[in-house]
Amino acid sequence: MKKVMFLAAVLLLNMLWPSTASALCSVNNASLAFGSFSPLTGNTVDSTATITVTCALQLSSYTIALSPGGSGTYNPRRMTSGGNTLEYNLYTSAGYSQIWGDGTGGSVIVDAGSTLLGSRNHTIYGRIPLSTQRSAMIGSYSDSITVTVAY
């Protein structure tokens, strides 16, 4: 069974869970904000958010996949502000080596793999590489990411 969540706006990520009477699990509202920064300083801007999966019945396992967002590609994802773009990505760990996606385009799915009854937290690690984006325009950038929890 798959339940789809919506992760809206990388600068202010909000998850929406479609209302359904048969839902065994739900996901909390989460936000990932990179905050204010200058592309002329530092090499990266990092931030985190937590996805909490809560299940009313015991599950033997589940997976969490993230969509590529509005850019349609995982490497890099792109936020937009009007006609301007800012590259970023979402990762499975603080090592920033595995792009969290749906298993395509060089991305991986997070496999929770163990029994769940109650709640479990999953951290999203976001990174904006500034060293290659020195000419980024000032603005409020956002993207929309779909989160799929399969169990």
Side-chain angles (χ1 to χ4, degrees), residues 119-130:
S119 297
R120 181 171 300 144
N121 293 330
H122 303 276
T123 303
I124 299 173
Y125 297 86
R127 174 169 276 180
I128 300 172
L130 296 178

Side-chain angles (χ1 to χ4, degrees), residues 105-143:
S107 70
V108 298
I109 294 172
V110 169
D111 184 354
S114 59
T115 302
L116 171 66
L117 176 61
S119 297
R120 181 171 300 144
N121 293 330
H122 303 276
T123 303
I124 299 173
Y125 297 86
R127 174 169 276 180
I128 300 172
L130 296 178
S131 61
T132 58
Q133 303 183 86
R134 296 289 185 209
S135 61
M137 300 300 290
I138 294 172
S140 179
Y141 290 80
S142 63
D143 194 6

Side-chain angles (χ1 to χ4, degrees), residues 31-129:
S31 13
L32 189 152
F34 288 104
S36 298
F37 60 88
S38 169
L40 300 177
T41 60
N43 292 325
T44 62
V45 174
D46 297 333
S47 188
T48 61
T50 301
I51 296 172
T52 303
V53 178
T54 303
C55 295
L57 299 175
Q58 186 168 335
L59 302 178
S60 59
S61 68
Y62 65 96
T63 60
I64 304 172
L66 302 180
S67 74
S71 68
T73 182
Y74 285 104
N75 196 13
R77 285 179 166 105
R78 290 181 183 88
M79 293 182 278
T80 59
S81 177
N84 301 314
T85 62
L86 187 62
E87 295 177 355
Y88 77 101
N89 229 319
L90 303 173
Y91 298 89
T92 61
S93 70
Y96 300 97
S97 61
Q98 293 186 310
I99 296 170
W100 194 339
D102 68 359
T104 65
S107 70
V108 298
I109 294 172
V110 169
D111 184 354
S114 59
T115 302
L116 171 66
L117 176 61
S119 297
R120 181 171 300 144
N121 293 330
H122 303 276
T123 303
I124 299 173
Y125 297 86
R127 174 169 276 180
I128 300 172

